[in-house]
Amino acid sequence: NAGVMQNPRHLVRRRGQEARLRCSPMKGHSHVYWYRQLPEEGLKFMVYLQKENIIDESGMPKERFSAEFPKEGPSILRIQQVVRGDSAAYFCASSPLRTSGKVVGEQFFGPGTRLTVL
Amino acid sequence: ILNVEQSPQSLHVQEGDSTNFTCSFPSSNFYALHWYRWETAKSPEALFVMTLNGDEKKKGRISATLNTKEGYSYLYIKGSQPEDSATYLCAYGSSNTGKLIFGQGTTLQVKP
């Protein structure tokens, strides 16, 4: 049973380019979360998605960032017109479909994508 | 602003020592408290998910307790081993969306 997959593992972009980060959740998981770790900081929640729906995007920057989790294929975190301050490690996590009223199960993390903006 | 605080920031112990860390979180709107273990160059790995006040969980030499009324959780490691060296993160869930707010972590170094 493969774990959460993220690609690429390392991504270098010049200022103004677009960055696309992909996350394939564990098999059977329908909840995906994106977190960002800026240099010298902890993990910060960005967005929570289910298939074809954004459930909570309270941690997403207002501009240039978007996320999707289509019916088929991986979840994508897209950063348009990257700036140096976007350089960070971006982690994706997934969890299985909740069976009760609360989503309290553990989240399984991918290895992360390290984005460097030159 | 919801804040999760962990202490100490780092810890150096000798092999065989027992140790414990603290996680403080808001006591309102509590849904769940997660503990993760994060080794360098690897992904965070879930240790425990706790939801009820007074919960105690154990996995091998590692255990955790939860006090939701006063907003703290303790993680204990009995007889630390070099392979326990890692950063230990706690994360607070305040809603049923699964959104987690992470602390900065406690980095443990166990010397042989």
Side-chain angles (χ1 to χ4, degrees):
Chain A
N1 188 11
V4 177
M5 312 276 282
Q6 288 188 250
N7 67 80
R9 295 291 303 276
H10 300 273
L11 183 62
V12 179
R13 284 287 177 266
R14 295 192 181 279
R15 281 179 296 169
Q17 291 184 320
E18 179 179 287
R20 278 182 174 243
L21 287 61
R22 293 173 188 75
C23 168
S24 297
M26 284 181 72
K27 189 176 179 181
H29 287 192
S30 56
H31 301 258
V32 165
Y33 312 83
W34 285 93
Y35 295 88
R36 176 166 68 171
Q37 185 187 30
L38 292 167
E40 308 301 321
E41 293 190 18
L43 287 170
K44 295 282 195 291
F45 169 83
M46 298 182 77
V47 63
Y48 159 48
L49 310 106
Q50 293 178 20
K51 286 281 187 184
E52 299 184 279
N53 283 307
I54 297 174
I55 307 301
D56 184 339
E57 56 181 346
S58 57
M60 287 280 269
K62 294 286 182 261
E63 295 174 349
R64 301 187 297 107
F65 284 72
S66 62
E68 63 176 10
F69 188 14
K71 190 176 178 182
E72 302 290 337
S75 174
I76 307 282
L77 180 69
R78 184 179 174 213
I79 311 172
Q80 293 179 289
Q81 299 174 339
V82 295
V83 301
R84 288 220 174 102
D86 297 333
S87 295
Y90 292 82
F91 289 90
C92 164
S94 72
S95 66
L97 182 69
R98 60 183 172 179
T99 55
S100 64
K102 293 182 182 180
V103 179
V104 293
E106 63 188 276
Q107 295 180 13
F108 295 81
F109 280 78
T113 293
R114 274 151 183 82
L115 172 66
T116 301
V117 180
L118 301 177
Chain B
I1 295 175
L2 297 172
N3 238 6
V4 177
E5 303 284 343
Q6 288 189 248
S7 63
Q9 191 173 351
S10 64
L11 199 52
H12 295 251
V13 302
Q14 289 293 134
E15 182 176 355
D17 288 350
S18 293
T19 186
N20 65 83
F21 326 132
T22 305
C23 172
S24 302
F25 54 88
S27 54
S28 57
N29 299 319
F30 175 85
Y31 265 63
L33 194 284
H34 296 223
W35 280 100
Y36 287 84
R37 182 170 178 273
W38 195 359
E39 286 183 75
T40 304
K42 293 189 177 179
S43 314
E45 176 194 349
L47 288 172
F48 306 113
V49 179
M50 295 185 286
T51 57
L52 298 174
N53 184 43
D55 254 356
E56 288 189 28
K57 299 256 177 158
K58 192 169 191 273
K59 187 185 284 190
R61 294 179 291 99
I62 305 177
S63 59
T65 60
L66 178 67
N67 183 323
T68 61
K69 294 192 186 308
E70 295 180 42
Y72 65 82
S73 175
Y74 293 135
L75 186 79
Y76 301 91
I77 302 179
K78 186 177 175 184
S80 303
Q81 299 295 308
E83 57 265 30
D84 295 329
S85 298
T87 296
Y88 292 83
L89 300 171
C90 73
Y92 160 75
S94 66
S95 73
N96 66 351
T97 68
K99 169 183 176 179
L100 293 178
I101 299 167
F102 280 85
Q104 294 284 87
T106 293
T107 299
L108 173 68
Q109 286 268 11
V110 182
K111 296 176 188 173

